[in-house]
């Protein structure tokens, strides 16, 4: 309930934004291209609820992950059920796959989703509390070809919106077996250097040492440079998978960079993990200039993903291999803007409908429908009355033609079709207007 005198202070919730005009156009363009590319590669759209049982995420993302520890929006419903506003798309997609019997259909199930996600993070440019992702999941097949396909699709989406120089950072974090040995070495390395770690990392050392590699604090980034690398501990099988994925990327000419310390924030990943950055992020300065740039890099990832063969086991005690990835639509939009890529807007109007007088206004409604059904993109100002003002609008929009209906034309069921460039005019009867305009447009 709104308290007295607070009405003028009602604002959108911190970190959540209205979307309209240009921002809307960017989002729509990215989502449209994402769906087009994903469908081309056999992914079919799925929509899962924004609210999920809380345990879907607490069980899957890892109790010590940032998302679970600090960022989830959770609450009890009136009926007392604990729910969470989805912080990511993978767990929900896997739940939907299990719940709807998709495992009995052709494998892998290829799913595409696009929508809003929620994390209680510190808002800044490129980081909001409601944000948008388009993502894909291939569930039910362990082949490395699906890892490569995931990356292919995300890169193709970026290319389709004009971001052609993105770089994939890729690593393989092994499976449960090879990771166990690595974790021992990693823990030993950091334990010896405990005093130099930031407070968060001191905690990570106890709870989840792998996440030490993810820290953006300068001292920790420096320490990481000497840390053991998982690649030296991979089993033959994991190494082979890594090689195969890389070979696929080579074959596709995808710009990638091996990143031996990339681990990603969530617990459920196994083997392939990757993140995608805008082109310039590849520069060597990034390594040298430390803290500030690292921080910037951490909010400039356009997307990421990886294989999560263990997730179905954690959630449903089933062995179901899967891989997926997602693009952050808000970040992709920011990057497009930064690179001066316009969100292709609606097609430009070809005709402006000018009307004067009550009868003409009434008939304009009929004519606008005729034009819409004929697929002729038009503009109008139904509230306007003056010929000059409406003609000025037509000129501003640079339409090739305008249709003018005054009192006399309305009575005769005719309109004046004006060629805006030459100024020539002719009378056309209402029923011939769509075909006449189409013919004239073809002649342009
Ligand atoms: P993640 O799975 O957390 O790496 O998220 C995948 C992508 O979603 C990231 O690379 C970002 O582009 C985007 N993303 C994640 N969190 C946010 C956020 N809070 N605000 C805006 N975009 C985000």
């Amino acid at each position: 309930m709104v308290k007295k005198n607070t009405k003028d202070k009602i604002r959108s919730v911190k970190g959540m934004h209205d979307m309209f005009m240009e921002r809307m156009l960017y989002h729509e363009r990215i989502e449209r291209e994402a769906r087009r590319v994903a469908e081309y590669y056999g992914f079919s759209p799925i929509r899962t609820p924004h609210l999920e049982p809380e345990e879907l995420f607490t069980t899957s993302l890892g109790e010590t992950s940032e998302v679970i520890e600090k960022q989830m929006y959770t609450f009890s419903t009136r009926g007392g059920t604990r729910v969470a506003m989805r912080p990511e798309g993978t767990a929900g997609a896997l739940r939907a796959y299990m719940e709807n019997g998709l495992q009995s259909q052709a494998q892998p199930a290829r799913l595409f989703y696009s929508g809003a996600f929620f994390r209680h993070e510190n808002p800044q440019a490129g980081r909001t509390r409601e944000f948008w992702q388009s993502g894909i999941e291939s569930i039910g097949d362990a082949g490395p070809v699906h890892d490569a396909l995931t990356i292919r699709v995300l890169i193709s989406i970026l290319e389709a919106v004009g971001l052609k120089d993105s770089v994939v950072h890729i690593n393989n974090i092994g499976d449960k077996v090879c990771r166990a040995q690595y974790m021992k070495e990693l823990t030993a390395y950091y334990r010896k250097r405990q005093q130099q770690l930031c407070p968060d990392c001191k905690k990570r050392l106890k709870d989840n040492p792998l996440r030490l590699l993810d820290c953006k604090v300068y001292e920790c980034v420096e320490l990481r440079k000497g840390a053991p690398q998982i690649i030296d501990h991979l089993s033959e099988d994991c190494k082979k998978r890594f090689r195969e994925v890389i070979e696929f990327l080579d074959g596709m000419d995808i710009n990638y960079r091996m990143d031996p310390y990339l681990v990603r924030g969530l617990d459920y990943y196994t083997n392939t993990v990757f993140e995608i950055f805008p082109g310039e992020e590849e520069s060597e300065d990034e390594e040298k200039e430390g803290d500030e740039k690292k921080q910037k890099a951490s909010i400039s990832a356009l997307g990421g993903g990886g294989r999560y063969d263990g997730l179905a086991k954690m959630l449903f005690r089933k062995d179901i291999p899967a891989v997926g990835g997602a693009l952050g639509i808000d970040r992709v939009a920011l990057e497009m803007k930064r690179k001066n890529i316009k969100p292709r807007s609606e097609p430009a109007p070809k005709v402006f409908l000018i009307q004067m007088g009550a009868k003409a206004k009434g008939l304009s409604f009929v004519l606008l429908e005729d034009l819409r059904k004929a697929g002729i993109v038009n503009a109008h100002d139904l509230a306007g009355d003056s010929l000059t003002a409406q003609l000025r609008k037509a000129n501003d929009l640079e339409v090739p033609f305008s249709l003018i209906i005054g009192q006399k034309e309305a009575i005769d069921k005719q309109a004046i079709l004006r060629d805006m460039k030459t100024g020539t005019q002719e009378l056309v009867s209402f029923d011939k207007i769509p075909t006449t305009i189409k013919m004239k447009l073809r002649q342009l």
Side-chain angles (χ1 to χ4, degrees):
M1 203 166 59
V2 181
K3 277 194 215 144
K4 233 180 166 183
N5 296 332
T6 57
K7 270 195 184 151
D8 58 334
K9 294 202 187 107
I10 298 177
R11 297 224 188 287
S12 62
V13 172
K14 186 175 172 190
M16 306 197 181
H17 303 285
D18 302 311
M19 206 187 297
F20 55 95
M21 292 178 145
E22 192 185 53
R23 187 154 177 224
M24 191 76 212
L25 291 179
Y26 273 111
H27 272 241
E28 280 185 347
R29 163 131 192 240
I30 297 161
E31 288 194 285
R32 199 165 51 236
E33 297 294 356
R35 180 160 174 172
R36 200 173 285 159
V37 174
E39 284 191 335
Y40 175 80
Y41 280 103
F43 292 80
S44 60
I46 183 170
R47 282 192 184 150
T48 59
H50 288 71
L51 289 185
E52 293 278 3
E54 183 180 12
E55 63 178 324
L56 177 68
F57 303 110
T58 48
T59 316
S60 60
L61 305 188
E63 290 286 350
T64 57
S65 69
E66 291 262 297
V67 174
I68 295 296
E69 274 191 341
K70 301 183 196 152
Q71 299 172 351
M72 274 234 288
Y73 284 90
T74 55
F75 58 94
S76 295
T77 63
R78 286 170 196 268
T81 311
R82 292 291 300 166
V83 293
M85 295 181 72
R86 57 183 192 181
E88 56 95 51
T90 298
L94 183 65
R95 181 202 48 68
Y97 167 95
M98 299 299 294
E99 196 167 325
N100 298 289
L102 296 185
Q103 64 271 48
S104 59
Q105 301 187 8
Q107 300 296 292
R110 290 206 181 102
L111 306 175
F112 164 78
Y113 62 82
S114 204
F117 296 87
F118 305 87
R119 293 183 197 170
H120 196 271
E121 301 197 70
N122 272 337
Q124 51 186 299
R127 180 166 290 160
T128 48
R129 292 182 172 176
E130 181 183 34
F131 61 97
W132 297 74
Q133 286 187 341
S134 288
I136 50 168
E137 312 289 346
S138 296
I139 309 177
D141 195 313
V145 71
H146 300 295
D147 307 31
L149 183 65
T150 306
I151 296 173
R152 166 75 279 165
V153 171
L154 299 186
I155 289 292
S156 295
I157 295 169
L158 291 173
E159 286 174 358
V161 298
L163 298 175
K164 307 215 184 270
D165 57 353
S166 317
V167 186
V168 179
H169 287 209
I170 187 166
N171 192 18
N172 186 309
I173 55 169
D175 55 19
K176 244 169 56 193
V177 182
C178 39
R179 213 178 316 158
Q181 179 55 33
Y182 172 64
M183 295 293 267
K184 275 191 202 149
E185 276 202 31
L186 189 70
T187 314
Y189 172 84
Y190 277 114
R191 207 168 272 148
K192 278 188 211 140
R193 295 159 182 84
Q194 216 172 130
Q195 294 317 316
Q196 299 160 59
L197 290 172
C198 75
D200 273 349
C201 277
K202 284 192 175 125
K203 191 162 171 293
R204 288 183 184 123
L205 183 57
K206 287 198 202 92
D207 298 339
N208 193 340
L210 205 55
R211 202 143 296 129
L212 284 157
L213 301 174
D214 221 10
C215 186
K216 308 291 182 298
V217 174
Y218 181 74
E219 287 72 21
C220 302
V221 172
E222 286 298 299
L223 265 190
R224 194 181 68 181
K225 289 178 183 161
Q229 299 187 356
I230 180 94
I231 188 134
D232 300 321
H233 297 80
L234 291 183
S235 66
E236 276 315 309
D237 271 0
C238 291
K239 263 191 213 149
K240 183 163 169 275
R241 167 181 292 277
F242 198 15
R243 252 197 322 272
E244 282 176 8
V245 175
I246 293 294
E247 277 166 18
F248 283 129
L249 298 187
D250 280 333
M252 292 187 268
D253 248 352
I254 282 180
N255 193 2
Y256 68 87
R257 188 211 249 197
M258 308 262 227
D259 185 343
Y261 297 120
L262 179 69
V263 288
R264 304 225 348 109
L266 309 175
D267 268 5
Y268 55 57
Y269 287 111
T270 50
N271 281 299
T272 311
V273 289
F274 66 89
E275 279 185 348
I276 304 175
F277 290 89
E280 305 92 341
E281 237 57 56
E282 208 194 4
S283 81
E284 293 297 313
D285 300 348
E286 193 68 37
E287 294 292 330
K288 287 178 201 145
E289 289 181 31
D291 201 17
E292 200 179 309
K293 280 222 164 180
K294 283 282 161 200
Q295 194 70 34
K296 200 168 143 251
S298 82
I299 58 160
S300 68
L302 299 175
R307 182 158 277 284
Y308 51 96
D309 289 350
L311 182 57
K313 188 93 175 177
M314 285 157 125
L315 288 170
F316 304 107
R317 299 206 195 93
K318 290 259 163 51
D319 275 320
I320 298 171
V323 62
L327 292 173
I329 301 177
D330 316 75
R331 301 256 180 103
V332 175
L334 279 177
E335 190 56 21
M336 287 169 74
K337 237 177 138 171
R338 209 166 67 82
K339 297 216 160 101
N340 269 326
I341 301 168
K342 295 271 167 269
R344 207 179 301 136
S345 55
E346 294 303 308
K350 298 287 186 273
V351 54
F352 194 99
L353 177 62
I354 295 171
Q355 44 67 41
M356 286 157 298
K359 195 164 172 61
K361 246 189 235 312
L363 283 172
S364 294
F365 281 109
V366 180
L367 200 50
L368 282 175
E369 273 301 287
D370 289 348
L371 293 173
R372 185 183 66 78
K373 285 175 190 152
I376 298 169
V377 185
N378 61 77
H380 52 83
D381 175 16
L382 279 184
D385 288 315
S386 117
L387 173 66
T388 330
Q390 292 181 70
L391 261 179
R392 197 180 315 122
K393 283 189 183 167
N395 270 323
D396 290 348
L397 284 172
E398 296 177 356
V399 286
F401 299 103
S402 59
L403 278 169
I404 304 166
I405 319 172
Q407 193 67 3
K408 179 171 184 324
E409 288 77 23
I411 291 166
D412 296 344
K413 297 260 165 50
Q414 288 182 327
I416 300 165
L417 180 60
R418 180 184 171 92
D419 183 318
M420 296 296 285
K421 218 179 201 161
T422 60
T424 50
Q425 302 191 154
E426 62 185 285
L427 274 174
V428 186
S429 67
F430 270 21
D431 56 342
K432 301 236 163 54
I433 286 175
T435 41
T436 312
I437 293 181
K438 275 189 163 172
M439 190 190 68
K440 291 200 173 280
L441 286 173
R442 272 198 299 272
Q443 289 165 357
L444 279 183

